[in-house]
Amino acid sequence: MISITFPDGSVKQFENHPDGYTIASSISEGLARNCVAMEVDGVKTDLYAAVDRDAHIRFLTTKDPEALEILRHSAAHVMAQAILRLYPDARLTIGPVVEDGFYYDIDMPPISEEEFPKIEAEMKQIIKEKLPVVREEVSKQRAMEFYANEPYKLEMISELEDGSISFYSQGEFTDLCRGPHIPHTGFIKAFKLLKVSGAYWRADPNRPQLQRIYGTAFFSKKELDDHLNFLEEARKRDHRKIGAELDLFSFHDEAPGMPFFHADGMELWNTLLDYWRSEHRAAGYVETKTPIILNRSLWERSGHWENYRENMYTTVIDDTEVAIKPMNCPGGMLLYKTRRHSYKDLPVRAAEIGLVHRHELSGVLSGLFRVRAFHQDDAHIFMTPEQIESEILGVLQLVERIYSTFGLGFHLELSTRPEKSIGTDAQWEDATNGLQAALERYGKDYTLNEGDGPFYGPKIDIHIKDAIGRTWQCGTIQLDMSLPERFDLSYVGQDNAKHQPVMIHRVVYGSIERFLGILIEHFAGRFPLWLAPVQAVILPINDSLAPFAEETNASFQQAGLRSRVDKRTESLNKKVREAQLARIPLIVTVGEKEKSAGTLSVRTLDGQVHYGVSTGHFIQAARANIDERALALNIFDN
Ligand SMILES: [Zn+2]
Ligand SMILES: [Zn+2]
């Protein structure tokens, strides 16, 4: 007899060695039907595995996020099986689960998405066959024999320990896999292949290029449809597409991963930074600037030369090795050391919009989200240990003010001391308590990631949530015990003795380029008026009205609005359509009627048209909306 303990603490006895399905059936038929897999003493296992000892068991049903991962990985097997049925010469490598889906890397001639329907049809057939998925433990010897003609699988097996190798089979298809898997292929109720791209075997450009085919799977058609709608919405918001439509930025082969900002992109950039500067000035920050090229000895001192060199661009100037900075911090340390500090002038809040370069592999570059050159809205705050709590609280409040201006929600995560770390127990305790006390005083919920901090100090990460529910880590507040030590920073305390200041790095936007990309997608390019690169366009309905349009434009510009006149001899309809595609918040049309009455017709971004608006009223409403950085698209709302 064995005893099985369930999550609610109840215990049941079983004879022989029951499998999970039998155990689930003893509770209810419905449960057994919905079980995808189980967890035996914390280890995920196939539902049909026999339980041969006393154990704690938790069933994973179709409602569990972990079950969804098992389903998706099983869908990868089904896809591989379908591909082998259609392309018998294809060679399989690995097929892991990723966020929201799965992929399989396969050595085969390049395929296009046009071939997906054919593969999907074969997958449907395999699912309809409800093939049982069967696990088998095999010796290394037998695995090598089985895969004699499969170089990738052979390479993987050669790296495995004998006794730890298992195969999973469904119908004629067998794959080397640790599992667990769904009980039979019929569990896959909804799936879709999404895209294909090239990927090198083991990410090594010297090894063969494989076809990486992505897909996703769900337990219901409804969930799949919701997900596909979400992907469609994200695709419509793609900042690369909107960036081109709004003429904001571009990329060129002459400088891969380094964005070129166009005139309207710079308007957006400068508006973002003007706002940033006003908030930081009000919060007691000063702004500094350090060079982007610094010599090797500095990077040795900071530790980057040893730990980060592959990502740094280096060159030789006057026989001296130098590097383009990947971070602003070491320069910031030198700045702090240019004068003597007393406890009376702490905290020092020194900000720097610093241009940094990091060498990213060309394959991972992605619009403004992943670039090789970007600006960080850094600040280093130097303080006494007693100031930790109030300074961190100040940063949290600043972060909230800035994010809420964009209508972005956010959540906080505190990561604490990892196993390998520098600094004393007392330093870590002070630092962690300081951060925690600030979070408590701030009062918003936060997640605690125990032991997940960097080696040099605890940190708070800030994850924002955009308009379609995606989260992005942007802000971070990191306490650093390493650099003040390495750069021998000090201040004179009340006791007249030298002390080491506590230092934090913090960013709010993070990478300004990436934040801009996030904002473009968050607003789908429909920026609130204060942020829009072009705030108003004036469309005269014919050439004779051009002077009146120019006059109106001059009064807009005098009021500080970013406006322009579209004088092209195109139809009014076409000009309105183009202005709408450019997401210009205020589209102003002027005709004879408007000219004689001295009024305007105004189309706001919410699609409403307002007739007979006096120029004075228009300017006043627009200014009010801009000055309060309102999110409302209709400036006449209040
Ligand atoms: Zn597998
Ligand atoms: Zn820093």
Side-chain angles (χ1 to χ4, degrees):
M1 292 290 269
I2 58 164
S3 310
I4 299 298
T5 311
F6 299 100
D8 65 358
S10 63
V11 180
K12 264 190 156 176
Q13 312 284 331
F14 290 88
E15 281 181 18
N16 305 321
H17 293 157
D19 60 24
Y21 185 82
T22 309
I23 299 171
S25 302
S26 79
I27 300 171
S28 91
E29 275 310 315
L31 174 68
R33 249 197 330 271
N34 280 315
C35 274
V36 178
M38 62 178 166
E39 206 175 69
V40 181
D41 290 332
V43 180
K44 289 189 192 70
T45 313
D46 298 309
L47 186 64
Y48 282 98
V51 182
D52 58 3
R53 58 177 198 278
D54 292 354
H56 284 75
I57 283 190
R58 180 168 78 96
F59 290 111
L60 302 178
T61 71
T62 53
K63 302 271 174 287
D64 274 293
E66 293 150 291
L68 194 55
E69 288 196 1
I70 294 170
L71 180 84
R72 286 174 175 167
H73 176 58
S74 299
H77 277 225
V78 169
M79 180 178 80
Q81 181 173 15
I83 286 174
L84 285 182
R85 283 182 181 182
L86 297 166
Y87 311 86
D89 294 333
R91 291 283 171 268
L92 303 180
T93 67
I94 55 162
V97 169
V98 289
E99 208 189 334
D100 295 334
F102 63 84
Y103 69 77
Y104 214 122
D105 278 351
I106 301 174
D107 190 355
M108 65 191 293
I111 66 163
S112 75
E113 293 182 13
E114 264 136 56
E115 288 164 83
F116 284 179
K118 192 170 67 179
I119 300 169
E120 286 171 339
E122 195 60 47
M123 290 174 71
K124 280 207 177 94
Q125 180 57 37
I126 294 165
I127 290 166
K128 217 173 103 198
E129 289 166 18
K130 290 194 176 171
L131 302 172
V133 183
V134 183
R135 179 191 172 92
E136 183 195 359
E137 314 270 340
V138 294
S139 69
K140 192 162 178 169
Q141 177 67 32
R142 160 134 154 63
M144 304 279 270
E145 282 162 17
F146 184 84
Y147 278 121
N149 296 317
E150 300 267 344
Y152 303 101
K153 296 288 181 187
L154 270 184
E155 186 175 329
M156 285 186 271
I157 293 164
S158 70
E159 292 157 7
L160 295 172
E161 296 270 328
D162 204 358
S164 71
I165 301 172
S166 53
F167 283 174
Y168 275 83
S169 300
Q170 54 203 38
E172 82 288 359
F173 174 78
T174 296
D175 203 353
L176 169 73
C177 183
R178 242 172 315 169
H181 275 286
I182 51 179
H184 63 75
T185 55
F187 268 78
I188 303 171
K189 300 291 184 223
F191 73 91
K192 181 110 184 77
L193 301 189
L194 297 172
K195 61 173 178 176
V196 56
S197 64
Y200 291 109
W201 169 235
R202 306 227 135 144
D204 180 348
N206 300 314
R207 316 252 352 228
Q209 192 171 46
L210 311 167
Q211 299 296 301
R212 175 168 294 178
I213 306 171
Y214 288 90
T216 192
F218 289 89
F219 287 110
S220 76
K221 174 94 171 45
K222 160 108 180 48
E223 288 166 296
L224 174 66
D225 289 345
D226 287 349
H227 182 69
L228 295 178
N229 284 338
F230 167 80
L231 290 181
E232 175 60 17
E233 186 55 40
R235 199 188 57 75
K236 278 195 245 159
R237 289 168 180 258
D238 189 320
H239 71 280
R240 291 165 294 191
K241 178 174 154 281
I242 295 176
E245 286 167 1
L246 270 61
D247 195 17
L248 299 177
F249 60 86
S250 56
F251 286 91
H252 301 268
D253 291 343
E254 288 79 356
M258 303 186 187
F260 287 57
F261 280 91
H262 302 190
D264 286 348
M266 277 313 290
E267 288 288 4
L268 187 55
W269 179 279
N270 286 331
T271 307
L272 212 55
L273 285 188
D274 287 348
Y275 169 57
W276 185 94
R277 290 196 165 99
S278 73
E279 287 290 359
H280 281 71
R281 214 170 279 131
Y285 285 74
V286 294
E287 188 174 344
T288 58
K289 189 169 171 68
T290 63
I292 71 164
I293 298 177
L294 300 118
N295 74 16
R296 173 176 172 162
S297 73
L298 177 90
W299 300 110
E300 283 175 347
R301 187 167 189 185
S302 69
H304 288 89
W305 197 264
E306 192 188 346
N307 298 311
Y308 200 69
R309 209 178 142 198
E310 323 76 87
N311 296 83
M312 291 159 67
Y313 295 108
T314 57
T315 187
V316 175
I317 300 175
D318 292 342
D319 298 328
T320 304
E321 272 188 288
V322 298
I324 302 180
K325 66 181 176 186
M327 288 167 202
N328 301 304
C329 320
M333 301 307 105
L334 295 186
L335 260 188
Y336 178 85
K337 284 170 74 77
T338 54
R339 49 177 279 242
R340 206 164 156 265
H341 293 270
S342 140
Y343 70 96
K344 285 184 198 152
D345 35 68
L346 298 186
V348 170
R349 305 187 190 102
E352 171 169 16
I353 305 289
L355 171 61
V356 298
H357 287 71
R358 294 180 189 173
H359 185 67
E360 300 275 3
L361 294 175
S362 58
V364 304
L365 299 175
S366 159
L368 294 176
F369 288 164
R370 200 84 178 261
V371 289
R372 287 175 173 167
F374 58 99
H375 293 73
Q376 281 187 311
D377 65 324
D378 243 328
H380 295 117
I381 305 182
F382 305 89
M383 63 193 111
T384 67
E386 298 74 38
Q387 290 168 332
I388 296 177
E389 185 181 328
S390 62
E391 281 307 303
I392 302 288
L393 183 64
V395 176
L396 291 172
Q397 288 163 339
L398 177 68
V399 159
E400 172 168 340
R401 264 200 309 284
I402 293 179
Y403 289 162
S404 63
T405 299
F406 300 103
L408 294 162
F410 64 95
H411 79 268
L412 303 163
E413 295 189 7
L414 171 65
S415 300
T416 59
R417 188 177 192 174
E419 245 169 66
K420 272 193 190 153
S421 63
I422 58 152
T424 64
D425 289 354
Q427 271 179 316
W428 274 92
E429 213 180 296
D430 280 356
T432 311
N433 288 346
L435 263 57
Q436 213 148 7
L439 284 166
E440 300 295 341
R441 251 174 77 190
Y442 179 61
K444 211 169 147 62
D445 284 347
Y446 64 90
T447 313
L448 181 64
N449 301 325
E450 207 111 36
D452 213 23
F455 71 93
Y456 50 78
K459 64 165 182 174
I460 298 171
D461 286 330
I462 305 145
H463 301 256
I464 59 175
K465 193 172 197 178
D466 73 11
I468 56 171
R470 291 174 298 180
T471 58
W472 311 81
Q473 198 227 304
C474 288
T476 179
I477 307 171
Q478 309 196 349
L479 199 138
D480 190 337
M481 304 173 193
S482 168
L483 286 183
E485 179 80 43
R486 281 175 178 264
F487 283 85
D488 191 25
L489 304 187
S490 67
Y491 67 93
V492 179
Q494 215 160 354
D495 54 3
N496 246 335
K498 266 183 156 190
H499 298 271
Q500 195 177 85
V502 174
M503 198 268 282
I504 61 164
H505 314 262
R506 44 110 287 177
V507 293
V508 183
Y509 292 156
S511 149
I512 296 167
E513 283 78 353
R514 177 167 168 270
F515 192 74
L516 228 148
I518 293 170
L519 284 186
I520 292 171
E521 300 205 357
H522 171 61
F523 289 119
R526 292 149 56 96
F527 295 110
L529 190 60
W530 73 273
L531 202 51
V534 181
Q535 294 169 320
V537 63
I538 304 167
L539 314 177
I541 65 166
N542 61 46
D543 287 350
S544 72
L545 288 158
F548 176 60
E550 289 292 1
E551 220 175 278
T552 307
N553 190 36
S555 59
F556 286 4
Q557 290 180 335
Q558 246 167 28
L561 298 184
R562 296 188 286 271
S563 60
R564 55 180 70 153
V565 180
D566 184 350
K567 279 187 294 196
R568 292 174 306 155
T569 39
E570 298 283 357
S571 74
L572 185 66
N573 273 345
K574 185 170 182 208
K575 290 202 266 191
V576 169
R577 252 196 335 270
E578 287 183 11
Q580 284 175 322
L581 183 66
R583 281 91 156 169
I584 297 173
L586 300 165
I587 302 170
V588 177
T589 47
V590 292
E592 290 299 343
K593 212 175 97 198
E594 280 80 11
K595 187 186 168 189
S596 54
T599 62
L600 312 166
S601 295
V602 182
R603 190 184 300 259
T604 44
L605 257 188
D606 56 357
Q608 292 194 45
V609 186
H610 312 261
Y611 299 98
V613 181
S614 76
T615 307
H617 178 51
F618 173 88
I619 289 176
Q620 185 222 329
R623 279 268 35 118
N625 183 287
I626 292 167
D627 292 343
E628 67 181 56
R629 297 191 187 87
L631 290 167
L633 297 179
N634 184 346
I635 60 167
F636 303 110
D637 259 358
N638 31 6

